[in-house]
Amino acid sequence: MSTQTPLDQARTQLAQVAAVLRDKYVGEEARFDTAIELLSTPQMLHQGELEVQMDNGSTKKFKAFRSQHNNARGPFKGGIRFHHGVTKEEVMALSIWMTWKCAVTGIPYGGGKGGVVVNPKELSTKELERLSRAYVRFLGEAVGPWTDIPAPDVNTNGQIMAWMVDEWQKLAQEKTSLLQVNPLATFTGKPLALGGSEGRDEATGLGGVYVLEELAKALNWQRKQDITIAIQGFGNVGYWFAHHADLRGYKIVAVSDSQGGIYVENGLNPEKTLACKKQNGKISECPCTDEKCDITLGKKVTNAELLELNVDVLVPAALENVITAENAPQIKAKVVIEMANGPVNPEGEAILLQKGILVVPDVLANAGGVSTSYFEWVQNLAGVSWDKPTVLEKLQPLMVMAFKDIWELAQEKNLSLRMATYSRAVKRVIDAMLLRGSV
């Protein structure tokens, strides 16, 4: 079993990319080496404790982090997660990956990530609000429309962003120097009524389906209805991936949540499956076709079994490190599309590649979310509001161009899609650092 932390993995990947890129910087080797060294560690790590008053009058402390990796291409950008498993190394690694994710699609951001060590399910609504506001006070001027633009992540949502943007605006009013632009542009993933963007909820999953469509063309898949897809994770990302893939004619045969999943050989209906899950509480009770939901229409599978199904496309859309050296030999899919962050670890991916399984990396596949966050930021700064068709029309060419660019580079240089993606992204960041004279 791998003992690498996510930060170790991010640094290992950067070292591998450095070896690929080195010949692009002939005559500037010293500056290139300095850039790689700088990119191995975030520019700034904010860490501390949030003291929050609980409903019973007591106070409780929660560890908090914000990692700001690199801003050579623009302000830091990345989510805030509320989870009991948050660690300093995790948020540092995620901020590094966010830098690559922004660079690969060309949006003018660097990477950031934040987190609080907490189980939000144990907090009341008022306690959660006080925690959210305390996090903003903890960061203060470290975030802002031209500095660092946070967004929702694990266990955070539009309501939490609304509390956070409200608290930041109060802080900005205390320090009038912060009120140079619309304070709503400090956070994305907000509710529509508070400057959020149409299309944001489905953007990550839909962006992944845009990638799937381009991959189908590249691999010359003729009949979409024959392409079977299994999705681990039926939250926001997994559901919208299933929804849009189903609309385009692909066959979704398996989905799961944290308690297990369901396999329906003839294909399931994502909308009815989601409605059944909401009613019954478990997706494993919901084998739903277009006609009806009936337990006899499918069979229950564990999350581990879902990963090993004989399907064309496997979509891990839930957790990190679910495909490792231990289970990679049993993976039967032809393609793995990473919709979660870091679901395939380096040892697992090496085995998949040896087996001829194509892996579409997370920093490309799930970049639709941060891209639409960028659209929200642009709307806030400009004081305009785009309708949903406009947002999605802007997202599609961005994702399509990114995939085509990476696919061509991978074919030309005989690289894995991950190495091609990281090579393109890291080069864009290093080039920006060189232009600025920061190395």
Side-chain angles (χ1 to χ4, degrees):
M1 181 178 293
S2 171
T3 58
Q4 280 197 327
T5 67
L7 183 59
D8 293 331
Q9 292 181 23
R11 287 172 170 165
T12 296
Q13 292 164 345
L14 180 59
Q16 292 170 341
V17 173
V20 173
L21 286 179
R22 191 171 182 79
D23 64 357
K24 301 287 186 185
Y25 295 91
V26 175
E28 293 189 309
E29 289 87 354
R31 297 176 73 192
F32 172 77
D33 290 340
T34 300
I36 293 295
E37 183 178 355
L38 289 173
L39 289 171
S40 69
T41 301
Q43 290 174 204
M44 183 69 68
L45 176 68
H46 304 272
Q47 53 185 328
E49 287 189 328
L50 313 181
E51 190 167 299
V52 177
Q53 183 177 356
M54 310 306 284
D55 289 345
N56 63 9
S58 66
T59 59
K60 192 171 181 179
K61 293 182 178 180
F62 301 89
K63 289 183 179 179
F65 306 96
R66 183 70 179 176
S67 176
Q68 297 169 324
H69 176 239
N70 183 276
N71 62 355
R73 299 187 65 258
F76 304 108
K77 184 80 184 81
I80 300 165
R81 55 180 52 185
F82 287 176
H83 192 271
H84 60 83
V86 166
T87 67
K88 176 178 69 175
E89 291 76 16
E90 177 189 52
V91 296
M92 290 172 71
L94 290 168
S95 72
I96 293 172
W97 289 325
M98 276 300 301
T99 298
W100 314 147
K101 188 181 297 186
C102 294
V104 77
T105 55
I107 59 176
Y109 285 144
K113 207 74 174 185
V116 179
V117 183
V118 60
N119 181 354
K121 295 178 182 179
E122 296 177 351
L123 302 184
S124 71
T125 300
K126 280 297 182 183
E127 289 169 342
L128 188 60
E129 178 179 352
R130 289 192 285 268
L131 176 71
S132 302
R133 293 180 181 274
Y135 185 76
V136 174
R137 290 279 169 173
F138 155 67
L139 290 176
E141 296 181 51
V143 297
W146 296 110
T147 307
D148 185 350
I149 305 103
D153 197 74
V154 176
N155 293 330
T156 54
N157 55 27
Q159 175 60 76
I160 289 173
M161 294 303 105
W163 290 327
M164 288 187 172
V165 79
D166 180 70
E167 191 66 24
W168 193 88
Q169 186 166 350
K170 290 177 181 177
L171 180 65
Q173 289 166 344
E174 295 170 10
K175 301 183 178 182
T176 55
S177 61
L178 297 179
L179 278 176
Q180 297 174 0
V181 293
N182 186 353
L184 295 180
T186 304
F187 293 82
T188 60
K190 303 181 297 294
L192 288 175
L194 204 60
S197 178
E198 293 280 1
R200 177 62 185 89
D201 285 347
E202 62 193 272
T204 306
L206 176 58
V209 173
Y210 288 149
V211 168
L212 170 66
E213 289 275 76
E214 293 306 307
L215 183 65
K217 295 174 187 175
L219 297 177
N220 198 30
W221 289 345
Q222 297 296 325
R223 288 170 51 86
K224 293 180 183 178
Q225 63 268 33
D226 294 335
I227 302 300
T228 54
I229 301 176
I231 304 172
Q232 187 197 51
F234 206 57
N236 178 271
V237 174
Y239 168 73
W240 284 112
F241 189 101
H243 171 82
H244 285 289
D246 178 67
L247 285 180
R248 287 160 173 77
Y250 297 94
K251 185 187 293 186
I252 314 299
V253 296
V255 294
S256 68
D257 58 18
S258 61
Q259 301 177 76
I262 198 75
Y263 171 76
V264 180
E265 183 177 2
N266 292 327
L268 56 84
N269 180 297
E271 290 73 33
K272 288 188 176 181
T273 302
L274 180 63
C276 178
K277 177 191 172 180
K278 289 179 178 178
Q279 180 177 347
N280 292 285
K282 292 183 179 181
I283 208 167
S284 58
E285 304 295 327
C286 297
C288 299
T289 64
D290 291 341
E291 290 75 33
K292 61 180 179 178
C293 297
D294 190 316
I295 197 68
T296 63
L297 295 174
K299 67 176 183 179
K300 296 180 181 181
V301 293
T302 66
N303 272 292
E305 290 170 339
L306 182 144
L307 294 173
E308 298 174 10
L309 289 173
N310 187 13
V311 294
D312 296 297
V313 180
L314 174 62
V315 182
L319 301 172
E320 303 156 1
N321 289 321
V322 296
I323 298 179
T324 66
E326 283 69 44
N327 64 350
Q330 285 75 54
I331 302 297
K332 302 177 185 66
K334 299 179 180 68
V335 173
V336 175
I337 299 178
E338 292 188 316
M339 293 305 296
N341 290 318
V344 182
N345 75 9
E347 296 90 343
E349 181 164 7
I351 294 170
L352 297 183
L353 295 178
Q354 288 172 2
K355 295 176 63 177
I357 297 173
L358 194 66
V359 180
V360 183
D362 49 2
V363 294
L364 174 60
N366 67 22
V370 70
S371 299
T372 309
S373 285
Y374 165 66
F375 299 154
E376 180 179 336
W377 179 71
V378 170
Q379 292 170 78
N380 293 158
L381 291 175
V384 299
S385 180
W386 301 334
D387 60 19
K388 184 175 176 180
T390 298
V391 172
L392 299 186
E393 284 168 11
K394 292 179 182 294
L395 177 63
Q396 183 171 15
L398 188 149
M399 296 298 297
V400 168
M401 287 187 292
F403 177 84
K404 286 182 175 179
D405 178 46
I406 297 306
W407 182 264
E408 290 171 5
L409 179 62
Q411 299 302 304
E412 177 188 348
K413 301 294 184 181
N414 193 28
L415 298 171
S416 70
L417 286 181
R418 188 180 306 278
M419 277 298 102
T421 301
Y422 279 38
S423 296
R424 181 68 80 219
V426 173
K427 186 177 188 304
R428 287 174 175 167
V429 176
I430 291 176
D431 288 349
M433 296 169 72
L434 291 172
L435 287 168
R436 286 177 175 274
S438 54
V439 292

